[in-house]
Structures are given as structure tokens and as C-alpha cells.
Amino acid sequence: VRRQLLRLYGTVLPTLEPRELAPFVPLAVIFTCSAMTHILDDIRADAVKFLDLLADAAPATVAQFAPRVLPSFFSLLETSTAAADGARTEANARTALLSQGRRLAILRSCHKFLCVFTRPLVPSSDALAFMAPPPAPPVACTEQLFFPDTTAPFAALNLFGEADAGSSPDADAATDTAGAVRAQSTAALDRLFPFLQATWIESAAIFAGGNISADDSLQLCSLTLQTLQVLWRAVYANAVPPHETRLIGFLRQCSTFFPFGKDYSGDTAVEDALLALNTRVCELAALVQLGTEVDSNVDALASSDVNSSSEAKPSSDVGLVRVFKRATRFMLQTLGHKQTRLVRHEQFGELLAVAWQLARGGGRSDAEQLLTAVMYYAGVCPLASPSKTLAIRFLTCIIDAQWTRVPEPGALDVGSTQLAALTSAW
């Protein structure tokens, strides 16, 4: 009966408008979260499937119940590493017995919900949103006294002693929403990281033997990095700070087999999955590089010998710099003269964002090589292809940022000579 009801909901819910479904979502979430913590495996699995249907039908409404939904996912995914003093609770014992397929289904649903929940922190669906100019500072109340789209359009005049007379209520609400989402994303990273790390260590063994195929292990690796990517983007939008030792340590673990499937060729689906894995690791490396202090002398540090002097940088810094260099080398091989295949324009958009972040955090020589590789790849793309269009917009954004904006801290300095060299092949 439960499975047939799921089929019925799968047919009916996509036909409803979110506003029609909204009045019933609170009660549906309560029952769904209760079922997600049920003692029977089948009921928990069907509850996760129903939550997926709700999130697809009314994403904004379901996202409001994250404080209730996320703990239910935590109870499903927590591992024994999170138990205090090594004590295994009943939930931890259940999770330890989960098959790869069941764990994959739960993690896939958790990733979908996190994507919906963190949507207010995503600036835009545009592939080049990372190059958008910074938001304009709020207008002082002496310059703007009328907010026509708010519930109190003349509040800035402070005629009746309104609080916060100089702010827009809508802007304050958006700020509060983003802050709440970021705080809950931080809590989610704290709770989910032990499970995600344990899943990665178990599943990444496929890269050690070189026997890579489109199985559950590869999908678990992909979903683990996808879920972590959603969380690190929500919590650390522009850089991973040095005190975030978990993500930095995870980056070191990923570097053991990075780049994944370097010599693999065959199944296109596997190649796409490996490219996505490598791109996400490069993104994490770029964010760590932007947030650490070792990037200021990255070229000299990478070429120095750790044991050559007592005043040398710590070996941990040298290890990180080597990871940064390997990430840069992968991007050059994927986009530059050594590239062996063209990627889809969606993949090219992700590679562009990572190349830009690595260029901003690395040394000047790395930045020049990365931008040259991007232009080379754009040059070999078919005329009027989406990737060619994206590269032209990318170059336009560089020119716009170089000559029409106020210089920003950490901005990439691209001179006219370098721009001429980048476009000479065109």
C-alpha cells in the first residue's frame, strides 16, 4: 500500500503548483520526518523518496523546514565516529549495516535537500556569476528615503520613531535568511563531515586498484564530494580559512589518488564522473589556497627544499603548495595544449570558475598559464558553440573588471600586454 501511495504521489504532486501544495507541506514534513526515524528500514527508505517528491514539487516551502528535516538525515547518516567516547548508539549500529545502495539513496536525497536549502546563498544560475561585480553598498537614508516595494515605504523618514530607519525591511529579511541558512549549513557540515569522510575513505579504494567502473563506489565518491561542495560553498563562499582543518585534511586525503582515473579511457559516463571529481577537488584546493597564507610566495615555496634550512616553511605548508600545484597542472592539462577531448559547455563553465579561483590565489606565472590555457581551449572550440560564447563572455568580464571597476583586494591583475597575448590566437 505504501509503495502504491508513493506512485500516486509521484504522479499527482508534479501537477500541482507550489502555492497549492504549501498549506499541506507542514503536516507532510512532520509525518515524513517521523517515518525517516522509524525502526523499519523500508519505511525509512520510502520516507526519503517521499521527501524527494516534496522537494521537487515545492522546494522553497520544504526548505523552510530544514531545522526539522536535517536532524532526520543526521540520524540516518551518522557513523560511529560521531558517538561520544566510542560508544555505538542504536542509530550508529544501524548505519554501519547499511548497504552501499541504501547509503547511496539516502545521500542522494540529502544532497538534493541541501541544494534546495542553500539556494538563497547561490548568487545566480549564470555560469559566470563568480565574476559578477560586488554588490553595491546600501544607500544611506539621507540619499534614499522612499522604498516603494516594502511594507513601510516611508520608514526611512523616521516620522513615527521607527527602528532602523535607514534600512530596507526587504534587505534586512534577505540578510537574516542568508545568515540563518549559513548557520544551519555550518551545523550540517559539523554533523555530516564524519560520515562523508568515512564514506570517502571506504569508496575511494577503487582508485588504488585502478579498477574503475560505473558502480556504487564511484557514485558514492561523486555524491560525497557533491555534498561537501554544497556545504563548503554555503559556509565558506570565497575562501576556506586556515582554522578549517577538516576540509584541509580532506583535501590532503583526496590528493592521495588525485587526479582520479588519470589514464582511464572508455565509458563516457565514467569519464564525466572522473572529470567532475577532479574539478571539485581543484575547487577545494583553490578555496584553501585563497584562505591560507602560503599563497603569497607559492612559486618559491614549491621549489624549496623543506630540509634545506631551519627557517624553511613547515612541511604541512609545502604539502599544501604541492596540492595547489597539482590542481593547477590538472587544469592546464584539461584545457591547454595537452587536452585530449572537448567537454560539454556546462563542464567548461565549472572549469572556468575553478581556473579563475586558482589564478587569483596562485602566483603570477600560474595565473598567466591558466588564462592562456582557457583561451587556447576556447580557440579550438567550434565556432558559435556555447563554450566559445562562454569564453568570450569570460574575456569580456576580465576587461570590464580591469578597466571599469574600482580595484578589489585579491583581484587578478591582467595587463593590456597579457590580454593582447591571450587574444592573439583569435
Side-chain angles (χ1 to χ4, degrees):
V1 175
R2 192 174 60 251
R3 298 289 168 81
Q4 295 302 320
L5 186 60
L6 265 179
R7 288 186 180 180
L8 178 62
Y9 281 135
T11 303
V12 174
L13 291 183
T15 65
L16 300 176
E17 294 291 333
R19 58 183 177 79
E20 298 174 338
L21 192 59
F24 307 98
V25 169
L27 189 59
V29 169
I30 291 175
F31 280 102
T32 303
C33 291
S34 177
M36 288 173 68
T37 56
H38 199 275
I39 192 173
L40 296 180
D41 260 356
D42 290 344
I43 294 180
R44 293 199 301 272
D46 289 341
V48 169
K49 294 176 182 177
F50 179 69
L51 182 63
D52 288 344
L53 294 176
L54 276 181
D56 289 336
T61 306
V62 174
Q64 299 174 11
F65 298 92
R68 182 181 290 272
V69 174
L70 287 176
S72 300
F73 276 118
F74 299 156
S75 67
L76 288 174
L77 294 176
E78 278 181 335
T79 63
S80 57
T81 55
D85 301 325
R88 293 170 63 92
T89 63
E90 181 183 354
N92 292 328
R94 277 203 315 265
T95 305
L97 298 176
L98 283 177
S99 64
Q100 276 194 335
R102 185 62 59 86
R103 201 183 313 177
L104 188 61
I106 298 173
L107 188 56
R108 185 179 290 114
S109 179
C110 182
H111 170 257
K112 177 185 289 188
F113 181 80
L114 286 172
C115 289
V116 171
F117 169 61
T118 58
R119 195 167 293 171
L121 300 178
V122 179
S124 170
S125 58
D126 184 10
L128 297 183
F130 61 93
M131 300 188 75
V139 181
C141 62
T142 56
E143 300 177 19
Q144 180 174 346
L145 301 176
F146 176 56
F147 298 90
D149 298 327
T150 64
T151 54
F154 294 100
L157 292 175
N158 199 20
L159 298 176
F160 306 101
E162 297 89 346
D164 299 328
S167 61
S168 166
D170 288 349
D172 292 342
T175 303
D176 293 343
T177 300
V181 171
R182 185 166 284 108
Q184 293 182 57
S185 298
T186 303
L189 179 61
D190 294 339
R191 295 290 298 273
L192 289 176
F193 184 80
F195 167 81
L196 295 172
Q197 186 179 40
T199 301
W200 174 264
I201 293 174
E202 176 187 340
S203 304
I206 62 171
F207 302 118
N211 186 20
I212 303 174
S213 59
D215 59 359
D216 287 348
S217 293
L218 182 60
Q219 294 183 53
L220 276 173
C221 287
S222 299
L223 270 175
T224 298
L225 270 181
Q226 288 178 45
T227 305
L228 274 176
Q229 183 186 47
V230 172
L231 291 173
W232 77 54
R233 285 180 174 179
V235 180
Y236 307 112
N238 300 314
V240 174
H243 63 77
E244 181 49 80
T245 55
R246 296 169 303 180
L247 289 176
I248 295 175
F250 183 79
L251 176 62
R252 295 181 189 277
Q253 290 178 334
C254 292
S255 66
T256 303
F257 303 112
F258 177 82
F260 310 109
K262 180 175 62 174
D263 299 323
Y264 178 87
S265 62
D267 189 350
T268 304
V270 175
E271 291 182 352
D272 289 344
L274 293 173
L275 176 61
L277 281 171
N278 290 320
T279 303
R280 292 186 179 98
V281 172
C282 289
E283 178 181 326
L284 180 56
L287 292 178
V288 171
Q289 181 175 240
L290 287 167
T292 57
E293 298 178 354
V294 300
D295 59 340
S296 58
N297 196 21
V298 64
D299 295 324
L301 184 58
S303 59
S304 64
D305 186 359
V306 185
N307 299 318
S308 61
S309 170
S310 59
E311 298 179 355
K313 289 284 186 178
S315 59
S316 60
D317 289 353
V318 175
L320 276 180
V321 171
R322 287 172 179 162
V323 175
F324 304 154
K325 286 291 187 180
R326 288 168 64 185
T328 301
R329 193 178 305 117
F330 170 79
M331 298 298 296
L332 294 176
Q333 292 173 348
T334 305
L335 296 174
H337 293 272
K338 295 183 179 180
Q339 58 91 14
T340 57
R341 71 184 183 105
L342 296 179
V343 299
R344 298 194 306 272
H345 70 277
E346 299 91 353
Q347 297 169 320
F348 181 54
E350 296 174 358
L351 291 168
L352 271 181
V354 176
W356 181 253
Q357 290 168 324
L358 285 171
R360 287 181 57 217
R364 172 168 289 276
S365 63
D366 286 345
E368 292 178 354
Q369 292 180 52
L370 285 165
L371 294 180
T372 302
V374 168
M375 291 299 106
Y376 172 81
Y377 182 87
V380 299
C381 287
L383 187 64
S385 65
S387 294
K388 177 85 78 175
T389 304
L390 199 59
I392 294 174
R393 290 184 54 214
F394 177 76
L395 186 60
T396 304
C397 290
I398 292 179
I399 297 172
D400 175 63
Q402 188 68 25
W403 283 294
T404 64
R405 295 187 204 162
V406 177
E408 307 164 27
L412 188 61
D413 182 21
V414 182
S416 56
T417 304
Q418 187 179 355
L419 279 175
L422 291 176
T423 56
S424 60
W426 290 22

